[in-house]
Amino acid sequence: MRLHDILIVGAGLAGMRAAVVAPSDLDVAVISKVHPVRSHSVAAQGGINAALGENDSWEAHAFDTTKGGLYLGDQDAIEAMCREAPDDIHELERLGVIFSRDGQGRIAQRPFGGAGFPRACYAADRTGHAILHAMYEQLLKRRIAVYEEWYVTALIMEDGVCRGVVAWDLIRGGLHAIGAKAVILATGGSGRVFLTSTNAVINTGDGMALAYRAGAPLADMEFVQFHPTTLKGTGILITEGARGEGAYLLNTLGERFMETYAPQQMELATRSVVSLAIGQEILEGRGVDGCVLLDLRHLGRQRILERLPQIRELAIEFAGLDPIETPIPVRPGAHYQMGGVRTNQWTETGIAGLYAAGECACVSVHGANRLGGNSLLETIVFGRRAGIRAGEYVRTIARQAFETDQLVIEQRRVQRMLAQEGSIRAWQIREELGQVMSLNLGLVRTHESMAAALTALTALTHRADSVTVQDKGRVFNSDLVQTFELQSLLDVAETIVTSALARQESRGAHYRSDFPKRDDVQWLKHSVARRTPQGPTVAYEPVTVTRFPPA
């Protein structure tokens, strides 16, 4: 059995940040189902928040984050993130991230929705790309071991302690047990629960499902953010940075309709407000072929080429139009999971030896609605904290070989999958799941729609037991991997629907037309889903309030 001090599952920004800051005398390894620079962090476009401006402050950033999350975020974690953000940005700069610059040569910052100051530091409209590649260079510099293209199927648990993982080697085939004193989950989000999403096809909630099956609770899973502007027909993200640069949202009448919904913030209202406004315009017949229009034309050719080159490229490639001359058709699409593996502000899950950071975790800094620019920041701040805390923990643990029956259990599971014959394929169930979730758990939810989704989910889960893996080989068996991913998607979807059904109010990304008001008296609390043989059970935990009482 391979043994490491720290094993990080996921090679996106949170995972690589944890690896880079972990003490150099420890044996640290990263395991990822894709090459590290193909991690979904590379797709982040608009910016990363930090209070660098002369008139800005981390306290103002913390207030905006708390208010934007409808006061459901834990304020001790929010304060830690916002207080540490400026130092982390300067550290990224020292590590080689090439940020865009203002006229004085300082790191450029653009306004984002819900922010009182322009505090989103950016690298044109490829911010995630710039940071991810710089972090990968640091990974190589430190010669950190990477299990590239391995899929983790289970956590190894021994007496309630996480002792490593079981993983399938995609390139050569076969399951292996990999031991570790500490495991950090940094596997990203679960956007592929929905049919149309801004997320990469790899975002299947694997880390959330691994922790959930091992006994760790998932918190606030009902809060799934729909980004206001995704490209018509594809769901490709059109960054909030476009609106930060001054783009307008127009309906079929040519009106800047956000004046009706948020007259002060207009297009830079919080994402949940803008998404619901777009949905309302389309519902009332003022859309344009099921969309609204994002108009960049007045920004001018030079500004678009300098600050939004990727957006122009995407519009030309996938919509056949040039935003310098023509508005872009956009509509809301599933984008980000505010919930995840429940952790404290030092990324500890409650299971000894198991940590979680980034989108797969719920610290909780985003509450009911994430502000743009805070997701990249979360990966950097809490990825760093995970690496530090896991490093401290492993120094208290003596490394020793151990036997585990988890490998045998997983081998039997794979044998059963490969032996199964029939006509049901994983991709079919996955597509039906996406349709069910998009139809019933979208921008607007009701008891009836969510109950229908739960019934459909039960049937899909039952059918998934009979999925056939047509590829019986071992080498790069993507059919088998899709079957693993399907189980993760179903587990995560069930916690989303169950938590959403239970929350009888509207708050941020969770909007119920049958309970349209926010209710702080009954519902200012975290939903906490735990796995049982009968399905998830939902309990509740108080929100940590420090300096900003709900208003």
Side-chain angles (χ1 to χ4, degrees), residues 185 188 208 337-343 356-363 378:
L185 297 173
M208 299 176 199
Q337 175 57 264
M338 267 78 74
V341 184
R342 185 62 169 142
T343 75
E359 190 176 349
C360 78
C362 181
V363 180
E378 179 191 22

Side-chain angles (χ1 to χ4, degrees), residues 328-491:
I328 305 172
V330 295
R331 60 176 299 142
H335 179 58
Y336 190 88
Q337 175 57 264
M338 267 78 74
V341 184
R342 185 62 169 142
T343 75
N344 62 15
Q345 61 173 298
W346 280 100
T347 74
E348 296 162 317
T349 64
I351 292 178
L354 183 64
Y355 304 80
E359 190 176 349
C360 78
C362 181
V363 180
S364 137
V365 287
H366 305 306
N369 175 57
R370 176 176 68 78
L371 294 189
N374 273 353
S375 59
L376 286 181
L377 180 61
E378 179 191 22
T379 65
I380 297 301
V381 170
F382 293 102
R384 172 176 50 76
R385 283 180 157 231
I388 291 170
R389 185 51 59 95
E392 293 170 350
Y393 170 78
V394 301
R395 294 199 190 281
T396 69
I397 306 295
R399 184 189 291 191
Q400 57 186 27
F402 62 95
E403 296 296 323
T404 174
D405 58 0
Q406 192 64 51
L407 178 59
V408 175
I409 292 170
E410 290 301 296
Q411 286 171 336
R412 288 173 181 162
R413 178 184 169 207
V414 169
Q415 287 167 359
R416 182 182 63 80
M417 287 177 175
L418 293 175
Q420 203 141 258
E421 298 291 347
S423 60
I424 302 173
R425 302 293 303 284
W427 66 265
Q428 293 171 318
I429 304 287
R430 183 164 165 166
E431 189 165 310
E432 289 182 46
L433 170 64
Q435 291 170 341
V436 165
M437 295 297 287
S438 293
L439 178 65
N440 297 299
L441 272 291
L443 281 176
V444 179
R445 303 165 174 181
T446 65
H447 177 87
E448 289 74 20
S449 71
M450 292 184 289
L454 197 57
T455 300
L457 263 176
T458 302
L460 287 173
T461 302
H462 180 71
R463 286 174 57 207
D465 288 338
S466 303
V467 159
T468 296
V469 179
Q470 285 192 344
D471 184 350
K472 307 300 182 183
R474 294 169 63 85
V475 176
F476 221 93
N477 190 335
S478 58
D479 198 5
L480 178 63
V481 172
Q482 277 206 6
T483 307
F484 288 139
E485 290 175 329
L486 175 62
Q487 192 57 60
S488 295
L489 288 166
L490 289 167
D491 284 347

Side-chain angles (χ1 to χ4, degrees), residues 64 74 76 109 142-144 156 182 256 291 305 318-319 334 338 364 369-370 377 399 415 420 440 462 492 528 543:
D64 289 343
D74 287 322
D76 55 347
Q109 294 183 279
R142 289 161 173 77
R143 298 184 178 179
I144 292 167
I156 296 173
R256 287 182 68 186
C291 300
L305 291 178
F318 293 98
M338 267 78 74
S364 137
N369 175 57
R370 176 176 68 78
L377 180 61
R399 184 189 291 191
Q415 287 167 359
Q420 203 141 258
N440 297 299
H462 180 71
V492 168
V528 180
V543 174

